Amino acid sequence: MSECGKLYVVATPIGNLGDISYRAVETLKQVDLIAAEDTRHIKALLQHYGINRKVVSLHQHNEERAAADLLEKLRDGLSIALVSDAGTPLVSDPGMPLVQAARDAEIEVSPLPGACALIAALSAAGLPTSRFSFEGFAPRTSSERKSFFKAKADSPDTWIFYESCHRVLASLQDMKEVLPSERRIVIARELTKLHETIVKTTLSEAAALVEADRNMQKGEFVILVEGVPKADRPVALTVEQERVLGSLLKECPIKTAVALAVEITGARKKTLYQAALRLQHGEGHDE
């Protein structure tokens, strides 16, 4: 049996064809086979760099079957480069079944780092970068989006998602209904391309800004949302503080109970009030 080949996961430009590493170009020239999300799309890049290699299709509709075929080729000793239409494969792009299968088969998988839309947007957004989460594409329906946004509402970290030009306005409108209007947001579109636009604004202004400019409804979007500002983050009550508040709520109206709990425990009024609402809501379900 021949020695197994090697799978290269190769990041390609997200717009500007110059945003690819020397190593990536050399690797694409040397591998036996390139597995691409869209064979027609990747040929423009290959022609630009004079790369003449066989290209096969691996996309979201065939990747399970294609992964099995490619795994056999790797076992036969072929070297394969995995690329997506733009950016880093597997980051909201196809390729996971192939990489998993190669790993499970103990075939070497080597990443060639490069362009990634979410990292490019984050680097230029001016929002905190020490902790962030990437959520992929936002849900397609309004109700699902609102549930998604509600689930992220109390996140202390910057969070990022991709959105299509067809849904970006509706997505911003749904977000405005769910999140505080003063929350800062960055809309990044067409990154590295001719019409690259990065706008930092608030949720109260974002939807109107996009609605007023047809150009802001075209292209590919990365949306970045700041986490809950530190001053607004809820502070958990101690067991004793919550016990005191619970006892007061049994005897007093909520405003009186909260005022007394502030004096007795020293906890923040806002924190106590939120806890009081939660406790009362819970008691209502018990009856």
Side-chain angles (χ1 to χ4, degrees):
M1 182 177 177
S2 62
E3 184 178 348
C4 288
K6 186 174 181 179
L7 176 63
Y8 297 92
V9 183
V10 183
T12 56
I14 59 176
N16 190 311
L17 290 179
D19 292 336
I20 189 169
S21 69
Y22 289 116
R23 181 179 169 221
V25 172
E26 290 304 308
T27 298
L28 291 174
K29 287 180 177 179
Q30 294 169 7
V31 293
D32 297 302
L33 192 64
I34 298 172
E37 184 178 0
D38 186 328
T39 57
R40 295 165 301 178
H41 183 93
I42 201 65
K43 282 180 180 178
L45 176 70
L46 301 182
Q47 289 173 359
H48 183 79
Y49 284 101
I51 299 169
N52 184 21
R53 280 290 177 266
K54 182 178 179 181
V55 181
V56 298
S57 177
L58 185 148
H59 51 73
Q60 62 178 343
H61 302 297
N62 79 340
E63 60 179 333
E64 294 290 347
R65 174 174 51 80
D69 293 341
L70 291 169
L71 182 63
E72 288 306 309
K73 289 179 169 57
L74 287 165
R75 283 176 167 150
D76 289 340
L78 271 64
S79 59
I80 298 175
L82 171 66
V83 299
S84 62
D85 283 351
T88 302
L90 280 73
V91 182
S92 285
D93 277 327
M96 182 62 73
L98 176 58
V99 172
Q100 286 182 328
R103 282 290 178 197
D104 290 344
E106 298 185 348
I107 292 171
E108 186 176 359
V109 180
S110 179
L112 275 67
C116 180
L118 80 97
I119 298 300
L122 182 65
S123 71
L127 293 177
T129 61
S130 57
R131 290 177 60 92
F132 64 91
S133 64
F134 174 57
E135 307 297 333
F137 278 90
R140 290 177 174 269
T141 69
S142 179
S143 60
E144 289 176 329
R145 280 195 299 270
K146 287 178 182 178
S147 295
F148 163 62
F149 295 144
K150 285 178 183 176
K152 298 298 298 180
D154 293 328
S155 172
D157 307 322
T158 300
W159 47 282
I160 307 163
F161 64 95
Y162 290 162
E163 190 53 281
S164 75
C165 57
H166 306 294
R167 294 188 296 272
V168 64
L169 179 56
S171 193
L172 292 171
Q173 290 169 337
D174 288 341
M175 203 185 312
K176 184 179 177 180
E177 290 185 28
V178 173
L179 300 178
S181 61
E182 70 276 8
R183 188 70 60 87
R184 292 185 299 171
I185 181 173
V186 173
I187 304 167
R189 61 177 287 272
E190 294 293 87
L191 291 174
T192 79
K193 301 175 186 176
L194 179 62
H195 299 293
E196 175 182 274
T197 308
I198 303 174
V199 178
K200 188 175 185 180
T201 183
T202 62
L203 271 177
S204 63
E205 303 292 337
L209 184 153
V210 171
E211 188 171 20
D213 185 350
R214 296 295 298 177
N215 289 324
M216 286 296 290
Q217 299 174 44
K218 299 176 183 178
E220 298 175 331
F221 290 81
V222 185
I223 308 296
L224 306 95
V225 187
E226 75 168 336
V228 178
K230 190 171 183 179
D232 295 336
R233 294 174 193 171
V235 179
L237 296 175
T238 65
V239 173
E240 177 61 17
Q241 288 171 334
E242 191 157 322
R243 185 194 66 78
V244 170
L245 178 61
S247 297
L248 290 168
L249 285 169
K250 292 176 182 178
E251 305 296 334
C252 310
I254 186 169
K255 289 185 178 180
T256 304
V258 168
L260 290 171
V262 170
E263 292 185 20
I264 296 169
T265 68
R268 290 176 59 189
K269 182 177 179 180
K270 182 177 180 180
T271 304
L272 286 163
Y273 187 75
Q274 290 173 340
L277 292 175
R278 175 174 52 80
L279 288 170
Q280 283 200 335
H281 181 71
E283 289 170 1
H285 280 284
D286 292 337
E287 291 176 357

